[in-house]
Amino acid sequence: MPSASSAVSDSRRPVPSSLWRDGDFRRLWVGQTASQLGEHASLVVLPLFAVLTLNAGAGQLGVLRAVGQAPILLLSLFVGAWVDRWRTRTVMVLTDVGRTLALGAAAVAGFLGWLGLPALFVVAFAVGALSVFFDVAYQASLVGLVERDQLVRGNSALEGSRSAAQIGGPALGGALVSLLSAPIAAASSALFFALSFLSIRRIRRTESIPEPSKRPPRVWRRIHEGLRFVVGETLLRTVCLASAAFQFSFAAMMTVYLLFLPRELHLSGTAVGLALAATGPGALLGSMLAARLPSRFGHGPVLVSAAVLGDGAFLCVPAMHGSSSATVPALLAVSFVFGTGGQLVNVTIMAVRQAVTPDGIQGRAAATITFTGMGLTPLGSLLGGLLAEEWGLRTSLLVTAAGMMLSPVLMALSPLARLGRALPEPL
């Protein structure tokens, strides 16, 4: 029986030499950009509302972030198995509708005065769960839209759109919460998801899915196939370990960081949003560099050096004091460097994963790596809140930022570091 992705490859029309001449790729790009913008705005809106309006403590903020991240741990493997048997366009459209409704409901509840911590927990979980579906689906959909030699450029374009979202999302969310209200901020995120829906639903290319069999494989069997493939492939296994180390430490660090900026450095919500948004321009630069550097210097050297540069940038933050005129520019520089290095890693890793993975298992491979790499983020967020309460914000920030450096160490000691200029062949 042919796989979903192989059927797509056989039936689709040739993609033009320039990605931007292909209307379906443009629609995917526009929809993914809007979706990421709404997601990044909501990731700032909900925590800042909790901290600045509801006076949430470190433990409560840790729980809120953990609730939003829990779907990664709970759903990723199931989502990968389901996405490989559905049309990715349908998955993306439905998740956009769901997130629009969830954040729209949050906006209405806020206007009515019902938007407390319990409601924030519900909204955070719903948006997080639907985002798992969207992220797995859009990563799998790219393989059906572009040829293999265009994967790096396609991923660079999509990750560049995510970078643009990182520029506008945090700044917009922080400004709206600080200057206007949480309901308006939630409503703005809902509008971006609605725009994503309108764009992605216009993708015209027919996407085939496997014919249903009399006894389709059970979902657990399909999940096991994805796990076995990723664990058995040295490169992907290393990606999982390095991603898990980074995401766990990063989740803990961000919980502390979101408290450190307003309470230790005395920054306003707008300034916090600006500091976070600076990751976006750096990530945009990283996306452009990712289209050139790996083919010139080798995928392995680029991965390791970019991870060291990006992750190490946050080690400078605990040394900052007060809200002096140099504080915000210094935070902008840290976020910019982090965004540049992080995006170089993200684009290169995604291209390597897609290159070595057979078409019929793309969704499960992406979901397995998401599960193993990001499944510990809820625990990281909880740990960050606990450390902030027990050790204080400055010490906790230093410890969690140092923990992020384990990721480049793992990559440097693995076959990933020895990858050359050409992408590896599929298994």
Side-chain angles (χ1 to χ4, degrees), residues 335-424:
S335 294
F336 183 85
V337 173
F338 173 74
T340 302
Q343 195 73 324
L344 264 171
V345 173
N346 290 341
V347 174
T348 308
I349 284 290
M350 193 176 297
V352 170
R353 191 265 298 167
Q354 291 170 336
V356 302
T357 303
D359 286 346
I361 202 171
Q362 285 284 346
R364 281 169 285 173
T368 299
I369 292 174
T370 298
F371 172 77
T372 55
M374 299 188 65
L376 294 178
T377 52
L379 299 179
S381 294
L382 292 174
L383 177 64
L386 178 63
L387 291 179
E389 290 183 335
E390 298 295 328
W391 292 0
L393 295 177
R394 197 172 299 276
T395 300
S396 300
L397 188 60
L398 178 61
V399 170
T400 53
M404 293 164 59
M405 296 303 294
L406 180 59
S407 178
V409 170
L410 289 172
M411 287 193 288
L413 298 176
S414 77
L416 273 176
R418 298 191 293 272
L419 289 177
R421 297 177 180 179
L423 285 170

Side-chain angles (χ1 to χ4, degrees), residues 45 100 103-108 111 176 181-193:
V45 167
T100 300
L103 287 170
V108 172
F111 283 121
L176 291 178
S181 67
I184 293 178
S188 68
S189 297
L191 290 176
F192 288 116
F193 290 130

Side-chain angles (χ1 to χ4, degrees), residues 288-304:
M288 293 186 289
L289 294 176
R292 299 175 179 270
L293 296 187
S295 60
R296 182 174 181 181
F297 298 105
H299 290 75
V302 168
L303 275 174
V304 175

Side-chain angles (χ1 to χ4, degrees), residues 38-86:
E39 183 177 344
H40 283 285
S42 67
L43 288 176
V44 173
V45 167
L46 301 183
L48 282 183
F49 182 80
V51 172
L52 300 177
T53 304
L54 302 180
N55 296 316
Q60 291 173 315
L61 181 61
V63 172
L64 175 62
R65 284 175 49 79
V67 166
Q69 295 159 346
I72 299 172
L73 178 62
L74 299 176
L75 300 177
S76 292
L77 294 178
F78 296 98
V79 170
W82 292 329
V83 166
D84 274 339
R85 299 193 61 82
W86 293 349

